Every structure is written in C-alpha cells, then in structure tokens.
Amino acid sequence: MAKAKVTMEVGNDGVAVITFVNPPVNALAIQIFAGLKEKWNEAAMRNDVKAIVLTGYGGRFSGGFDINVFEKVHKTNDVSLLPDVSVDLVTNIMEDGKKPAVAAVEGLCLGGGLELALGCHARIAAPRTQLGLPELSLGVLPGSGGTQRLPRLIGLPKAIDMMMTSKPIMSEEGEKLGLIDAVVPSKELLKVARQWALDIAERRKPWMRSLHRTDKIGSLSEAHEVLKLARKQVKQTARNMPQHLACLDVIEEGIVHGGYNGVLKEAKVFEDLVLSDTSRGLVHVFFAQRATSKVPNVTDIGLKPRPVKKVAIIGGGLMGSGIATSLVLSNIFVIIKEINPEYLQKGIKTVEANIRGLVARKKLQQDKANKAFSMVKGVLDYSEFKDVDMVIEAVIENVPLKQQIFIDIEKVCPPHCILASNTSTIDLNVIGKKTSSQDRVIGAHFFSPAHVMPLLEIIRTEKTSAQAILDLMAVGKTIKKVPVVVGNCTGFAVNRTFFPYAQSAEFLANLGVDVYRIDAQIISFGLPIGPFQLQDLAGYGVAIATGKEYSSAFPARIFKSPLLDLLIKSGRNGKNNGKGYYIYKKGEKARPDPSVLPIIEESRRLTNIMPGGKPISITDQEIVEMILFPVVNEACRVLDEGVVVRASDLDVASVLGMSFPSYRGGIVFWGDTVGAGHIYKSLRKWSELYGNFFKPSKFLEERAAKGIPLSAPAATSSASRSRM
C-alpha cells in the first residue's frame, strides 16, 4: 500500500498544486497533516507561488480523518495523539495565510476532508461529489472548524441537518446552497481551480474567509429559534448520545461569541467526546463490522467466490418474500416456489409491494423497480431448479418438513448449487441429516423484515465447504447485507445469545414488575421497542416454537412462564389480531391494553415466585440489568464454545440483527463497559434468590475472577471445542 504523503507541484502560472496521497480514499493520517503544514508554509514563502490549489490523489479528495487514530486514543486514553489541525493548520496557516487557496474536490469530500476544503477561499467540484460531515456517527463532532464554517456558508438550518444526520449531499446541491463555487467536468477541475485561485490573487474574484462571514447566519434571535428546535428534535431522535447536543452548543458559541471562539470551543469539546463511552462504542462497531469480512480458512486460502445469478426460494411468506426482494433489487434472478397458487400469488404480490414501497419512499427509481419486477418468477414444482446456483429454504420451523425439502432439492439441483436454510433456531445438522451433499448445506439466516434488516448470519456446520461459505458471503455483500459467519448450534449466535431476553422479561413480570415499565426502561436504554411489544410484533406462535427448541437444548437454564399460553387462550395474538400486551389499530400508535393485566396476574399466581406473594421492589437500572445481564451471560457461553470467530462479530450481529444500540458498542463491548465483575456478582445474587436461570457461566466467572475482558480471545482449551 502506498505510503501516506503530500506532494506539491508549482506550475508556470504560479499556482502550487498541493495533493494528498493516501489510497484508497486519501484518509487524513497524521503524516498527511504534517505534510500539508510543511508544503503550505513552503508555498507561502516561495516568491514564484501566487496561489494554491488543494486536491486529492486518484479522483477522490478525501474520505476524512483516519479513524485508526481514534482507536489508538481509545486504547491509550491519550488525546495528545490527535493533531492540532483546527487552529494551527486550517485557521492560521490556510484560511489566514497570505496566499489564496482553492479546493478542487471530486469523488469524496467528507469529514476532515470537507473541513480542509472549508478552510480554503473557494471550492470547485466535479459532478456528483459527495460532501458531508459524518463525525457524529462516530460519537464526536467535526473537529477542524466544520461546526463554524459550514453554517456560515450554507445557513444554519441546512448545516445543522447535515451534521445531525451525518448524511452527505451532492456537489450539485452544494453549489445551490453556496458551499461549492462551481461544478465543472472532472477533466477541467484542476484547470478551473487554478484559474480561480489566480483570479482571487489578482482581486478579480473575492477572497472569502468562511470563518469571517455572517451574511448566512441571520439575526441572533432567528439563530436561537433554529437551535432551540434542533435541540428538541435531538432529544427525541438521539437519546443517550452526548455528541448531538454538544455539537449544537459549539455552533451556538460561534454565533454568539464569533467564529474563532467557536473554533476554540470545538477543539476542546472534540477532545472530551473522543474519550466518551459513546465514541468508543461507535468506533468499535465501525471496526468490528470491517473485521467480519475476515474468516480464517475461508477468506485467506486463495479461493474466489463463484457467481450466483439465479436463486430459488422455497416459501413465499414474510421471510421468503423479503429475501426475494433483497435479491432482485441486486439483479439476482429469483424463483419463488409455493405449495398452491393462492400462497404463490400472495408471495409475489408481497415482493411487488416491498419494491413499490421503496419507490414511494424515494429510495428506488421507477426504472430500477420495473427491472426488479421482471427478475422474479413463481413456480409450484421443482422443474425450474435445474440451473439454480443456490436454494434458500424459508418455510415454517418444522423439522420433518425441512428435512424432506433438503432431500428433494438435492435431487433436482445442479451439483454446484448451495443448499441453504433460513431457519432461525434449528440445528443445521438435523435439517441436512438425510442429504449426502453435507458440504453444500449452510444456514442463511436473514432477520425480519429481510429486505430491510442489514444482517445476514451465515451458519456453517463442520462439513460446510469453505467455497460455499465464501459464495454466500459474496451474495450477502452483493445484496448490501453485512455477512457474519458463525458456528452451528441451536439458535446459532444471535438468537442463541438473546434467547434469555424475553425470558428475563417474563421472569420480572412474574415477580410483579409492571410490563409497561419494563418496556419503557429497555427503550430508554436504547432498543427501539421493549421485550413485550417485540413479542406482540413477532407473533406468539414464533415465541412458542423457538421456546421449545431452547427448552430441549438448554433445559437447565430455562424459565417456563405460562404467560404466552394464557394470552393465546384469551384470544390474543399480538399485532397479528390487534390484541396483545398492547392494542393495535391501523394508523394509530400501539397503546397499552389494561384488560391484559388480569391475565398477567393469573400468570403470577400460577408461577408463584413473588417473595412472600408480594411484587418485588426494583430500580430502573436493575430492570435493565436483570433483562440484559442474562443475555451477556449467554454471550459468554457462545464465546466459550467458539460459535463466533471473534467477540466483535457478536457485537456487530447484536447491533444489526437485534437493534442493540450501536453507541453502546454491541452486547459484549457493553458487558465489558459495565464490567464482568459487576455482572457476575449480580447474576450470582439473583441465582441464589431465584434459581438457575440467572446462574453465571464458567466463562463469566473466570473472566470476573481474573479481571480479563469478556472480549479477549478465548484460551486454547476453549478454541479446541470451537464450532468454527
């Protein structure tokens, strides 16, 4: 890989073109900043240089600050590793320098890259260049003057929107807003930028210092109103995250006390935020997601993925139609097989409705939707399976049915065809037991709704070939999922880790804790919905079917509650029939149903676990801990058994598959943030009070005793039992 460097070429026209080079996206490594300072100072002192153009190598300006530096800061707690860019380089050397500078941007101009461009005196862009400040998505704020200069160029409302959402805009919109001075064809970019820089030097064009502008800010009272509204929105949309409000405070500082004071406050707040738990969690998830693409003995043995052009899906229900939607949107031809014309028609219509929904929400263009419609076909038998590259079985969780399907597809599909199951719980060795092509049997576990949720859990058995795994990983990436490869066991990695989640909630309900309070505390922690509303949405049949699998696999640590059976007996089935713990009416927000309380009381009477027959007294924090510590405990068993390649894979899977808050870093990372010692002591106390359901695992006990993080790689004794 090319070494990060900064080059400078001075043309006969007197323009110094300074280029940063750090492929593939010209990330702003520490040596880039040092090189920029050196070259800028050299250009300032040279008599043959009239003006400067700043650009990036290889058709990209810059993807932003090198976040490997954040990782180093998090490991060392040393903020002095961060370079002084904002005041020293961008403000003093670039913006207040004696020679005008123009940024020539194309491809990507994000984060620190855009902030460097904002420090120049004009910005020329190639068409469709991405411009954005996504720093809040990593738990920090723009730290090189972006909070001050962007509002001064495009106005406060749009600047706040760009920073709060971390969403980029295109250069065409940037030109309309005043962020970009001109959009020109890529081949003319440098020529126009050079001339523009000379025009500023010779006073034919204005020499604009962004930090000194106030014309787009509006009056102080208008600015206060905009900021007040933004704060209100942020409190609803970004709960538990400090960076959004901190960013608004820094913007306000600059408006009230001037841009330079804003820059000084921004630099200080940036350092505080880098060391926050939120930044640590978000940066961890960022790197953890990258690491999922490295699977030992699969991605490192020289294999190449084979093309998958045609996929058959057996079962056109909610999951099957969702998977089909994902595939056709990525130009993979799909055959949906159903058992009768009515089910088949329903499945095809669901795929079409999914696609139309994307068009309606402006996430897909009509011509691409039309192409997707043409890529799906319905069948009632196996006659068209002779040339498929992969089959995904997506029928109900019924072992004999799944086994028969695998016997049938092995006979009719070509010998290279991957035989995949979308089971969420059942051991793949059981499903593929009666097939002879064990090396082609694999799990492709999508999460519902499959065309929306970003995780693809790939389950390998001891016999699954590296080629089949690699092929499915490639399909996952093609359809814009994040593939995480895991070992085979009941529930696999994600559902296995989270199976105590609903049971903990039911345990608390049977101890007398209000179910709506439980849901509220889990939402307050950062999950989108609580465990009882989740049961309502998934349907009680799913919970009962998967519960049976876990009861037979892990009988010693199951909590059996009569609650779901009582709800079903009373004619409730959650959202499916509008009645569960909540009442569901079309077009209305779900609301608690008081008539469910006698059913919960009946469950409490039958389980009879309330101490002295009275509801327990419990704090909000204890509610969260009693629900999530058993999940961390099960994650420890998953790690100990080698079900995942690395602990961070389980973090990514928990965030993308179970909507665990990304700013908490994933389930294992959060466990380490809380501390293995505290989790172990709490579980031991509850297990003494309430029994085996809370019993700490050996892995957790060892880690707590030795002070070793849960995420540290397992010892060799554990690795020898690995399911990977």
Side-chain angles (χ1 to χ4, degrees):
M1 189 163 163
K3 192 168 174 280
K5 62 180 179 178
V6 178
T7 65
M8 182 170 83
E9 282 181 22
V10 180
N12 295 331
D13 55 0
V15 176
V17 176
I18 296 177
T19 308
F20 30 71
V21 183
N22 191 13
V25 297
N26 296 326
L28 300 170
I30 288 177
Q31 58 265 49
I32 293 278
F33 292 119
L36 275 175
K37 191 174 172 182
E38 181 198 323
K39 299 297 182 193
W40 219 277
N41 284 332
E42 185 191 331
M45 290 170 70
R46 280 175 60 162
N47 293 330
D48 59 338
V49 173
K50 297 176 192 171
I52 297 165
V53 166
L54 177 65
T55 194
Y57 171 79
R60 288 188 172 112
F61 190 70
S62 173
F65 185 61
D66 178 5
I67 65 169
N68 289 296
V69 180
F70 287 161
E71 210 178 22
K72 284 179 193 147
V73 172
H74 292 157
K75 280 177 182 160
T76 59
N77 288 325
D78 181 6
V79 288
S80 72
L81 292 170
L82 297 165
D84 176 11
V85 177
S86 187
V87 176
D88 187 37
L89 176 63
V90 182
T91 305
N92 295 346
I93 294 173
M94 291 171 61
E95 190 173 49
D96 291 345
K98 297 202 167 35
K99 290 176 183 174
V102 173
V105 303
E106 67 177 315
L108 296 173
C109 180
L110 301 172
L114 179 57
E115 290 180 288
L116 288 172
L118 292 171
C120 294
H121 306 107
R123 286 146 297 282
I124 312 300
R128 299 198 61 72
T129 298
Q130 285 188 53
L131 311 160
L133 294 175
E135 286 86 347
L136 273 74
S137 66
L138 291 171
V140 292
L141 47 66
S144 300
T147 63
Q148 305 306 309
R149 291 185 179 89
L150 190 64
R152 283 168 168 73
L153 284 174
I154 67 171
L156 204 47
K158 184 62 186 178
I160 287 174
D161 179 61
M162 280 178 70
M163 286 185 259
M164 294 299 119
T165 62
S166 292
K167 285 181 182 164
I169 60 169
M170 289 296 175
S171 46
E172 289 76 6
E173 187 183 350
E175 186 180 23
K176 284 179 193 155
L177 291 167
L179 175 55
I180 296 297
D181 293 276
V183 176
V184 302
S186 185
K187 59 180 186 296
E188 290 175 30
L189 184 63
L190 276 180
K191 187 180 102 180
V192 173
R194 294 176 92 116
Q195 188 54 53
W196 205 286
L198 286 170
D199 285 350
I200 297 173
E202 288 156 18
R203 306 292 178 182
R204 287 192 294 271
K205 279 194 165 47
W207 191 320
M208 300 294 285
R209 292 181 173 90
S210 308
L211 200 58
H212 297 229
R213 285 181 63 176
T214 54
D215 53 301
K216 292 274 186 87
I217 296 289
S219 71
L220 208 51
S221 60
E222 285 170 340
H224 279 310
E225 277 307 306
V226 172
L227 286 159
K228 188 177 162 187
L229 181 66
R231 284 192 177 99
K232 192 178 168 189
Q233 286 174 330
V234 158
K235 280 171 185 167
Q236 292 169 339
T237 57
R239 280 193 322 269
N240 306 334
M241 288 192 271
Q243 70 271 31
H244 296 76
L245 287 172
C247 184
L248 293 170
D249 290 346
V250 167
I251 291 168
E252 186 168 42
E253 174 79 14
I255 287 165
V256 175
H257 298 292
Y260 189 70
N261 283 321
V263 164
L264 294 177
K265 179 161 182 174
E266 177 194 83
K268 186 190 174 306
V269 173
F270 182 86
E271 287 189 359
D272 296 341
L273 287 172
V274 168
L275 292 176
S276 68
D277 285 346
T278 302
S279 176
R280 291 172 195 270
L282 289 165
V283 170
H284 170 73
V285 170
F286 177 88
F287 283 110
Q289 195 167 315
R290 282 183 170 184
T292 59
S293 61
K294 295 181 176 73
V295 181
N297 301 317
V298 174
T299 58
D300 55 359
I301 55 173
L303 288 175
K304 286 199 166 70
R306 298 171 298 188
V308 173
K309 293 175 181 172
K310 188 174 180 182
V311 175
I313 295 171
I314 299 173
L318 191 66
M319 284 306 295
S321 57
I323 297 166
T325 306
S326 280
L327 291 163
V328 296
L329 287 171
S330 297
N331 295 326
I332 296 172
F333 193 82
V334 171
I335 295 168
I336 295 178
K337 181 193 175 295
E338 260 298 356
I339 51 170
N340 64 43
E342 185 195 341
Y343 284 1
L344 184 59
Q345 195 59 31
K346 195 178 171 190
I348 298 283
K349 280 195 165 150
T350 307
V351 174
E352 289 173 353
N354 289 341
I355 294 166
R356 270 197 290 274
L358 291 169
V359 174
R361 294 197 301 278
K362 296 191 166 45
K363 293 194 171 175
L364 188 69
Q365 290 169 337
Q366 189 60 53
D367 58 334
K368 287 187 178 165
N370 293 341
K371 183 165 188 208
F373 291 143
S374 71
M375 302 284 289
V376 64
K377 182 180 181 182
V379 297
L380 294 168
D381 58 33
Y382 290 118
S383 58
E384 299 220 19
F385 279 49
K386 58 187 179 296
D387 62 345
V388 296
D389 301 306
M390 178 162 70
V391 177
I392 302 174
E393 164 274 303
V395 301
I396 55 169
E397 298 286 66
N398 176 309
V399 170
L401 173 61
K402 287 178 187 282
Q403 286 179 336
Q404 187 57 51
I405 286 169
F406 269 69
I407 292 167
D408 294 343
I409 59 178
E410 186 182 28
K411 287 176 190 163
V412 296
C413 295
H416 74 277
C417 178
I418 296 165
L419 311 175
S421 172
N422 177 54
T423 179
S424 61
T425 335
I426 304 166
D427 188 322
L428 278 177
N429 288 325
V430 176
I431 292 173
K433 190 177 175 183
K434 298 178 179 177
T435 49
S436 53
S437 311
Q438 297 283 325
D439 60 326
R440 293 190 277 145
V441 173
I442 195 164
H445 178 212
F446 290 79
F447 289 73
S448 186
H451 62 296
V452 175
M453 293 296 277
L455 181 67
L456 171 58
E457 191 178 30
I458 296 176
I459 302 99
R460 64 191 294 182
T461 70
E462 287 171 11
K463 292 173 181 167
T464 308
S465 73
Q467 186 67 60
I469 298 164
L470 193 69
D471 292 350
L472 189 48
M473 285 176 76
V475 170
K477 284 174 186 163
T478 300
I479 63 174
K480 300 177 179 64
K481 303 290 180 200
V482 177
V484 176
V485 177
V486 304
N488 179 39
C489 63
T490 300
F492 319 124
V494 183
N495 285 346
R496 157 89 185 269
T497 297
F498 277 81
F499 92 80
Y501 176 68
Q503 293 189 16
S504 307
E506 288 182 24
F507 210 116
L508 281 179
N510 283 295
L511 283 169
V513 184
D514 176 55
V515 295
Y516 304 114
R517 184 183 171 205
I518 293 168
D519 272 4
Q521 288 314 310
I522 291 299
I523 290 166
S524 179
F525 174 80
L527 277 98
I529 54 173
F532 294 104
Q533 195 174 359
L534 183 64
Q535 277 189 0
D536 273 0
L537 297 186
Y540 302 155
V542 172
I544 284 170
T546 55
K548 282 178 186 165
E549 294 293 327
Y550 295 123
S551 292
S552 64
F554 316 116
R557 54 179 190 273
I558 291 290
F559 172 64
K560 285 185 179 169
S561 162
L563 194 45
L564 278 179
D565 288 328
L566 291 170
L567 287 165
I568 290 165
K569 271 183 198 155
S570 74
R572 292 168 191 267
N573 192 22
K575 197 181 178 189
N576 288 336
N577 71 351
K579 286 191 303 182
Y581 297 101
Y582 295 79
I583 296 169
Y584 299 88
K585 284 186 180 165
K586 204 165 184 182
E588 288 181 26
K589 203 176 165 188
R591 62 180 196 275
D593 183 0
S595 70
V596 83
L597 298 177
I599 300 167
I600 297 168
E601 279 304 328
E602 174 65 3
S603 176
R604 286 169 185 161
R605 191 184 64 75
L606 292 169
T607 45
N608 192 25
I609 57 171
M610 288 194 290
K614 288 192 173 69
I616 61 165
S617 172
I618 189 168
T619 66
D620 291 345
Q621 186 181 332
E622 284 169 331
I623 288 175
V624 171
E625 291 181 349
M626 280 187 90
I627 286 177
L628 291 176
F629 284 3
V631 177
V632 176
N633 198 27
E634 197 61 36
C636 288
R637 295 186 180 100
V638 165
L639 295 174
D640 194 32
E641 292 170 27
V643 177
V644 287
V645 175
R646 52 188 82 77
S648 64
D649 284 2
L650 199 47
D651 286 330
V652 170
S654 68
V655 168
L656 300 182
M658 300 305 284
S659 301
F660 193 84
S662 57
Y663 56 84
R664 297 197 188 274
I667 190 69
V668 184
F669 187 91
W670 176 71
D672 276 333
T673 304
V674 172
H678 175 56
I679 296 171
Y680 171 72
K681 280 179 200 151
S682 303
L683 287 167
R684 195 180 63 188
K685 179 181 79 179
W686 299 329
S687 66
E688 285 162 6
L689 284 169
Y690 308 119
N692 265 357
F693 176 73
F694 292 104
K695 189 180 175 185
S697 64
K698 278 270 177 283
F699 182 94
L700 175 62
E701 188 178 356
E702 281 172 20
R703 296 287 164 117
K706 293 175 183 170
I708 303 169
L710 301 176
S711 55
T716 26
S717 59
S718 301
S720 64
R721 301 201 303 276
S722 172
R723 295 167 192 268
M724 294 297 290

